[in-house]
Amino acid sequence: MDEPKKNRVLIVDDAGSNIMALTHILSPEYTVYAVKHGKDAVNAAEKHLPDVILLDIVMPDMDGYAVIAALKESDITRNIPVIFITGLRKAADEEKGLILGAADYIAKPFSPEVVKLKIRNQIKTLDPLTELPNRRSCTIRMRSEWGRAMRLQKPVSLLVIDLDHFKSYNDAYGYPQGDAALRAVAKALEAWLVRPGDFAARWGGDEFVALLPDTDRACALEIAERIRAGVEAMEIPRVDGTGTKMTVSIGVDTDLPLPDNSYDSMIEDAEEALRQTKESERNKVRAAGHGD
């Protein structure tokens, strides 16, 4: 019987001693790849498609911030979780990494158990069907973005995206084709959410969410409409060579975080906007508290 396939970790660090130490810690459980230069990181990530990237910040030719920005610009590597391993301890350094899309931080000198635990946590937060972050991952990210937005007094927006008549689609074409539709919408979300801080996740079932930091209501509605129109225009292929169509309904909420509100209320308001849309006319975008 074949052994189970190992998850993959890419280490990006200019210090050979750190690479050796991390490889020793991780190689019993993971397939480990390593590069010493930031400029090689994107090529290595696209080649090996790691489940997690461990990224040093301070490197001579291309620092970790530039590397993560490049990773997020690539359609292939955009949604790979990146954990910074760094000796930088200022809140501003961590905030900068989170804005650019870092999933977590590990402080140097690192503990082997902390490294393994944080990698396991990231791998557990991926949805296996769509390869998007799952609900748990999204909740963690939402909590972080909400705190950052409260400190900076910046708006944050949430889109809740639901596939229209998905049960009927499954009944008509079968569950494997339903899975194909979910994967197609997930890939489309990755392509349309192009800013480094934007974050898409599978919320559950046939529902996705998009978290948009530093985004006001007008911009959030523009992005939501682009997603809606893009899905409507998309053709989802079947195994027999024919194509199928899908539409989505989207609820939108924008909040300026304050001490007396929370991201829970943002979720509730976006979901209520989605419910109203699906009860009236599907294949529409609706903002919380507003009409179409």
Side-chain angles (χ1 to χ4, degrees):
M1 185 175 179
D2 293 338
E3 292 185 4
K5 184 179 178 182
K6 288 184 177 181
N7 290 108
R8 301 174 297 279
V9 177
L10 172 64
I11 302 166
V12 185
D13 198 311
D14 63 311
S17 58
N18 286 336
I19 290 177
M20 288 180 63
L22 289 166
T23 300
H24 177 74
I25 292 166
L26 299 173
S27 58
E29 190 173 347
Y30 302 99
T31 298
V32 179
Y33 306 95
V35 294
K36 288 189 174 182
H37 302 287
K39 63 185 180 182
D40 297 326
V42 176
N43 287 338
E46 291 181 345
K47 177 181 178 181
H48 300 299
L49 294 177
D51 297 285
V52 178
I53 297 173
L54 299 180
L55 177 59
D56 189 20
I57 292 180
V58 180
M59 294 183 290
D61 61 332
M62 183 180 182
D63 70 17
Y65 297 131
V67 171
I68 193 172
L71 289 166
K72 296 302 179 184
E73 287 175 359
S74 167
D75 290 339
I76 300 172
T77 61
R78 180 177 295 147
N79 286 301
I80 299 173
V82 175
I83 302 175
F84 276 132
I85 295 190
T86 178
L88 300 178
R89 296 177 182 272
K90 292 181 181 178
D93 296 316
E94 182 172 351
E95 183 177 289
K96 183 175 180 180
L98 290 172
I99 291 171
L100 290 170
D104 208 341
Y105 267 73
I106 297 173
K108 293 179 181 178
F110 47 79
S111 156
E113 290 307 315
V114 168
V115 171
K116 288 189 284 188
L117 179 61
K118 293 206 171 189
I119 289 175
R120 287 181 195 138
N121 284 344
Q122 289 306 317
I123 290 173
K124 288 178 183 177
T125 60
L126 291 177
D127 172 58
L129 175 64
T130 64
E131 297 184 349
L132 284 180
N134 64 14
R135 188 178 186 127
R136 178 178 180 272
S137 178
C138 186
T139 301
I140 293 169
R141 180 65 172 267
M142 209 175 297
R143 186 183 304 123
S144 172
E145 290 293 351
W146 189 266
R148 188 186 70 86
M150 185 178 293
R151 290 194 303 273
L152 300 178
Q153 279 300 280
K154 298 282 190 179
V156 59
S157 293
L158 181 72
L159 316 183
V160 181
I161 304 152
D162 191 81
L163 276 62
D164 293 329
H165 305 293
F166 187 64
K167 183 180 183 302
S168 298
Y169 185 93
N170 273 336
D171 290 344
Y173 300 112
Y175 287 99
Q177 183 62 30
D179 288 348
L182 290 169
R183 286 192 292 267
V185 171
K187 291 297 182 186
L189 285 175
E190 292 178 349
W192 293 321
L193 297 175
V194 295
R195 302 176 308 172
D198 293 346
F199 182 86
R202 186 181 181 191
W203 196 239
D206 61 341
E207 200 167 83
F208 297 86
V209 297
L211 182 65
L212 310 175
D214 298 347
T215 304
D216 62 20
R217 176 178 173 270
C219 184
L221 286 171
E222 288 179 7
I223 293 170
E225 176 57 26
R226 184 163 67 238
I227 291 170
R228 186 210 62 76
V231 173
E232 184 179 33
M234 183 172 63
E235 186 170 274
I236 304 167
R238 298 178 63 195
V239 293
D240 63 5
T242 61
T244 64
K245 303 295 285 186
M246 175 62 65
T247 63
V248 294
S249 299
I250 304 177
V252 180
D253 189 45
T254 301
D255 276 340
L256 184 66
L258 298 169
D260 60 348
N261 62 4
S262 73
Y263 61 86
D264 289 325
S265 63
M266 181 173 65
I267 296 169
E268 291 172 3
D269 290 344
E271 288 186 331
E272 175 60 19
L274 172 66
R275 185 189 65 78
Q276 292 175 8
T277 299
K278 293 182 79 71
E279 284 184 352
S280 58
E281 185 179 4
R282 303 189 186 214
N283 192 22
K284 289 286 186 180
V285 173
R286 182 186 293 262
H290 297 270
D292 294 341

